[in-house]
PDB file of all heavy atoms in Angstrom:
ATOM      1  N   GLU B  35     -97.864  21.401 178.020  1.00  0.00           N
ATOM      2  CA  GLU B  35     -97.865  20.656 176.790  1.00  0.00           C
ATOM      3  C   GLU B  35     -96.624  21.060 175.967  1.00  0.00           C
ATOM      4  O   GLU B  35     -96.185  20.305 175.058  1.00  0.00           O
ATOM      5  CB  GLU B  35     -99.064  20.950 175.938  1.00  0.00           C
ATOM      6  CG  GLU B  35    -100.352  20.349 176.556  1.00  0.00           C
ATOM      7  CD  GLU B  35    -100.448  18.826 176.467  1.00  0.00           C
ATOM      8  OE1 GLU B  35    -100.633  18.323 175.377  1.00  0.00           O
ATOM      9  OE2 GLU B  35    -100.141  18.151 177.514  1.00  0.00           O
ATOM     10  N   LEU B  36     -96.102  22.298 176.204  1.00  0.00           N
ATOM     11  CA  LEU B  36     -95.072  22.912 175.369  1.00  0.00           C
ATOM     12  C   LEU B  36     -93.732  22.399 175.738  1.00  0.00           C
ATOM     13  O   LEU B  36     -93.290  22.624 176.852  1.00  0.00           O
ATOM     14  CB  LEU B  36     -95.197  24.345 175.511  1.00  0.00           C
ATOM     15  CG  LEU B  36     -94.190  25.202 174.674  1.00  0.00           C
ATOM     16  CD1 LEU B  36     -94.488  25.054 173.184  1.00  0.00           C
ATOM     17  CD2 LEU B  36     -94.135  26.585 175.171  1.00  0.00           C
ATOM     18  N   GLU B  37     -93.077  21.619 174.836  1.00  0.00           N
ATOM     19  CA  GLU B  37     -91.648  21.201 175.130  1.00  0.00           C
ATOM     20  C   GLU B  37     -90.709  22.299 174.642  1.00  0.00           C
ATOM     21  O   GLU B  37     -90.655  22.543 173.476  1.00  0.00           O
ATOM     22  CB  GLU B  37     -91.436  19.871 174.460  1.00  0.00           C
ATOM     23  CG  GLU B  37     -90.028  19.291 174.893  1.00  0.00           C
ATOM     24  CD  GLU B  37     -89.809  17.837 174.543  1.00  0.00           C
ATOM     25  OE1 GLU B  37     -90.063  17.493 173.386  1.00  0.00           O
ATOM     26  OE2 GLU B  37     -89.406  17.019 175.400  1.00  0.00           O
ATOM     27  N   VAL B  38     -89.999  22.806 175.573  1.00  0.00           N
ATOM     28  CA  VAL B  38     -89.116  23.968 175.266  1.00  0.00           C
ATOM     29  C   VAL B  38     -87.700  23.520 175.045  1.00  0.00           C
ATOM     30  O   VAL B  38     -87.035  24.078 174.216  1.00  0.00           O
ATOM     31  CB  VAL B  38     -89.214  24.917 176.438  1.00  0.00           C
ATOM     32  CG1 VAL B  38     -88.271  26.133 176.241  1.00  0.00           C
ATOM     33  CG2 VAL B  38     -90.632  25.489 176.602  1.00  0.00           C
ATOM     34  N   LEU B  39     -87.258  22.535 175.749  1.00  0.00           N
ATOM     35  CA  LEU B  39     -85.866  21.926 175.549  1.00  0.00           C
ATOM     36  C   LEU B  39     -86.156  20.522 175.093  1.00  0.00           C
ATOM     37  O   LEU B  39     -86.733  19.706 175.792  1.00  0.00           O
ATOM     38  CB  LEU B  39     -85.023  21.976 176.746  1.00  0.00           C
ATOM     39  CG  LEU B  39     -84.776  23.394 177.398  1.00  0.00           C
ATOM     40  CD1 LEU B  39     -83.808  23.325 178.590  1.00  0.00           C
ATOM     41  CD2 LEU B  39     -84.149  24.343 176.298  1.00  0.00           C
ATOM     42  N   LYS B  40     -85.556  20.259 173.895  1.00  0.00           N
ATOM     43  CA  LYS B  40     -85.957  18.874 173.309  1.00  0.00           C
ATOM     44  C   LYS B  40     -84.612  18.037 173.200  1.00  0.00           C
ATOM     45  O   LYS B  40     -84.297  17.517 172.102  1.00  0.00           O
ATOM     46  CB  LYS B  40     -86.533  19.071 171.931  1.00  0.00           C
ATOM     47  CG  LYS B  40     -87.817  19.879 171.954  1.00  0.00           C
ATOM     48  CD  LYS B  40     -88.255  20.275 170.583  1.00  0.00           C
ATOM     49  CE  LYS B  40     -89.606  21.114 170.692  1.00  0.00           C
ATOM     50  NZ  LYS B  40     -89.890  21.804 169.491  1.00  0.00           N
ATOM     51  N   GLY B  41     -83.969  17.903 174.287  1.00  0.00           N
ATOM     52  CA  GLY B  41     -82.700  17.075 174.228  1.00  0.00           C
ATOM     53  C   GLY B  41     -81.480  17.892 174.026  1.00  0.00           C
ATOM     54  O   GLY B  41     -81.009  18.082 172.926  1.00  0.00           O
ATOM     55  N   ILE B  42     -81.036  18.536 175.094  1.00  0.00           N
ATOM     56  CA  ILE B  42     -79.836  19.352 175.028  1.00  0.00           C
ATOM     57  C   ILE B  42     -78.560  18.624 175.507  1.00  0.00           C
ATOM     58  O   ILE B  42     -78.643  18.044 176.611  1.00  0.00           O
ATOM     59  CB  ILE B  42     -80.066  20.661 175.906  1.00  0.00           C
ATOM     60  CG1 ILE B  42     -81.269  21.457 175.421  1.00  0.00           C
ATOM     61  CG2 ILE B  42     -78.781  21.506 175.866  1.00  0.00           C
ATOM     62  CD1 ILE B  42     -81.057  22.105 174.107  1.00  0.00           C
ATOM     63  N   ASP B  43     -77.549  18.681 174.716  1.00  0.00           N
ATOM     64  CA  ASP B  43     -76.242  18.159 175.122  1.00  0.00           C
ATOM     65  C   ASP B  43     -75.266  19.289 175.114  1.00  0.00           C
ATOM     66  O   ASP B  43     -75.058  19.890 174.033  1.00  0.00           O
ATOM     67  CB  ASP B  43     -75.784  17.006 174.257  1.00  0.00           C
ATOM     68  CG  ASP B  43     -76.700  15.834 174.318  1.00  0.00           C
ATOM     69  OD1 ASP B  43     -76.744  15.172 175.344  1.00  0.00           O
ATOM     70  OD2 ASP B  43     -77.447  15.559 173.294  1.00  0.00           O
ATOM     71  N   LEU B  44     -74.630  19.529 176.217  1.00  0.00           N
ATOM     72  CA  LEU B  44     -73.708  20.706 176.284  1.00  0.00           C
ATOM     73  C   LEU B  44     -72.751  20.467 177.477  1.00  0.00           C
ATOM     74  O   LEU B  44     -73.197  20.053 178.482  1.00  0.00           O
ATOM     75  CB  LEU B  44     -74.495  21.940 176.413  1.00  0.00           C
ATOM     76  CG  LEU B  44     -73.735  23.280 176.554  1.00  0.00           C
ATOM     77  CD1 LEU B  44     -72.936  23.596 175.300  1.00  0.00           C
ATOM     78  CD2 LEU B  44     -74.728  24.360 176.882  1.00  0.00           C
ATOM     79  N   GLU B  45     -71.495  20.846 177.255  1.00  0.00           N
ATOM     80  CA  GLU B  45     -70.527  20.805 178.393  1.00  0.00           C
ATOM     81  C   GLU B  45     -69.877  22.179 178.544  1.00  0.00           C
ATOM     82  O   GLU B  45     -69.496  22.718 177.564  1.00  0.00           O
ATOM     83  CB  GLU B  45     -69.487  19.646 178.146  1.00  0.00           C
ATOM     84  CG  GLU B  45     -70.144  18.318 178.263  1.00  0.00           C
ATOM     85  CD  GLU B  45     -69.072  17.189 178.353  1.00  0.00           C
ATOM     86  OE1 GLU B  45     -67.870  17.521 178.247  1.00  0.00           O
ATOM     87  OE2 GLU B  45     -69.464  16.095 178.559  1.00  0.00           O
ATOM     88  N   VAL B  46     -69.780  22.601 179.714  1.00  0.00           N
ATOM     89  CA  VAL B  46     -69.011  23.855 179.975  1.00  0.00           C
ATOM     90  C   VAL B  46     -67.865  23.478 180.956  1.00  0.00           C
ATOM     91  O   VAL B  46     -68.049  23.093 182.047  1.00  0.00           O
ATOM     92  CB  VAL B  46     -69.928  24.850 180.651  1.00  0.00           C
ATOM     93  CG1 VAL B  46     -69.144  26.167 180.850  1.00  0.00           C
ATOM     94  CG2 VAL B  46     -71.190  25.056 179.828  1.00  0.00           C
ATOM     95  N   ALA B  47     -66.655  23.715 180.417  1.00  0.00           N
ATOM     96  CA  ALA B  47     -65.543  23.387 181.211  1.00  0.00           C
ATOM     97  C   ALA B  47     -65.224  24.588 182.124  1.00  0.00           C
ATOM     98  O   ALA B  47     -65.713  25.742 181.898  1.00  0.00           O
ATOM     99  CB  ALA B  47     -64.295  23.190 180.314  1.00  0.00           C
ATOM    100  N   SER B  48     -64.487  24.287 183.222  1.00  0.00           N
ATOM    101  CA  SER B  48     -64.147  25.343 184.122  1.00  0.00           C
ATOM    102  C   SER B  48     -63.263  26.442 183.415  1.00  0.00           C
ATOM    103  O   SER B  48     -62.446  26.106 182.647  1.00  0.00           O
ATOM    104  CB  SER B  48     -63.341  24.723 185.306  1.00  0.00           C
ATOM    105  OG  SER B  48     -63.236  25.723 186.289  1.00  0.00           O
ATOM    106  N   GLY B  49     -63.611  27.714 183.619  1.00  0.00           N
ATOM    107  CA  GLY B  49     -62.931  28.806 182.983  1.00  0.00           C
ATOM    108  C   GLY B  49     -63.408  29.107 181.610  1.00  0.00           C
ATOM    109  O   GLY B  49     -62.896  30.085 180.967  1.00  0.00           O
ATOM    110  N   GLU B  50     -64.409  28.369 181.140  1.00  0.00           N
ATOM    111  CA  GLU B  50     -64.869  28.602 179.779  1.00  0.00           C
ATOM    112  C   GLU B  50     -65.970  29.566 179.754  1.00  0.00           C
ATOM    113  O   GLU B  50     -66.771  29.748 180.733  1.00  0.00           O
ATOM    114  CB  GLU B  50     -65.383  27.198 179.269  1.00  0.00           C
ATOM    115  CG  GLU B  50     -65.481  27.141 177.714  1.00  0.00           C
ATOM    116  CD  GLU B  50     -65.909  25.786 177.261  1.00  0.00           C
ATOM    117  OE1 GLU B  50     -66.575  25.050 178.036  1.00  0.00           O
ATOM    118  OE2 GLU B  50     -65.718  25.484 176.084  1.00  0.00           O
ATOM    119  N   VAL B  51     -66.109  30.250 178.575  1.00  0.00           N
ATOM    120  CA  VAL B  51     -67.243  31.247 178.407  1.00  0.00           C
ATOM    121  C   VAL B  51     -68.073  30.717 177.217  1.00  0.00           C
ATOM    122  O   VAL B  51     -67.606  30.479 176.148  1.00  0.00           O
ATOM    123  CB  VAL B  51     -66.732  32.623 178.007  1.00  0.00           C
ATOM    124  CG1 VAL B  51     -67.862  33.534 177.722  1.00  0.00           C
ATOM    125  CG2 VAL B  51     -65.779  33.172 179.137  1.00  0.00           C
ATOM    126  N   VAL B  52     -69.301  30.435 177.568  1.00  0.00           N
ATOM    127  CA  VAL B  52     -70.273  29.854 176.557  1.00  0.00           C
ATOM    128  C   VAL B  52     -71.305  30.869 176.249  1.00  0.00           C
ATOM    129  O   VAL B  52     -71.983  31.351 177.168  1.00  0.00           O
ATOM    130  CB  VAL B  52     -70.863  28.552 177.032  1.00  0.00           C
ATOM    131  CG1 VAL B  52     -71.958  28.121 176.013  1.00  0.00           C
ATOM    132  CG2 VAL B  52     -69.813  27.506 177.310  1.00  0.00           C
ATOM    133  N   ALA B  53     -71.498  31.220 175.016  1.00  0.00           N
ATOM    134  CA  ALA B  53     -72.529  32.177 174.559  1.00  0.00           C
ATOM    135  C   ALA B  53     -73.668  31.368 173.975  1.00  0.00           C
ATOM    136  O   ALA B  53     -73.477  30.588 173.077  1.00  0.00           O
ATOM    137  CB  ALA B  53     -71.985  33.221 173.559  1.00  0.00           C
TER     138      ALA B  53
END
Side-chain angles (χ1 to χ4, degrees):
Chain B
E35 293 289 286
L36 179 71
E37 189 168 47
V38 176
L39 300 181
K40 301 172 180 164
I42 300 290
D43 295 293
L44 176 65
E45 292 192 354
V46 182
S48 190
E50 200 178 20
V51 177
V52 175

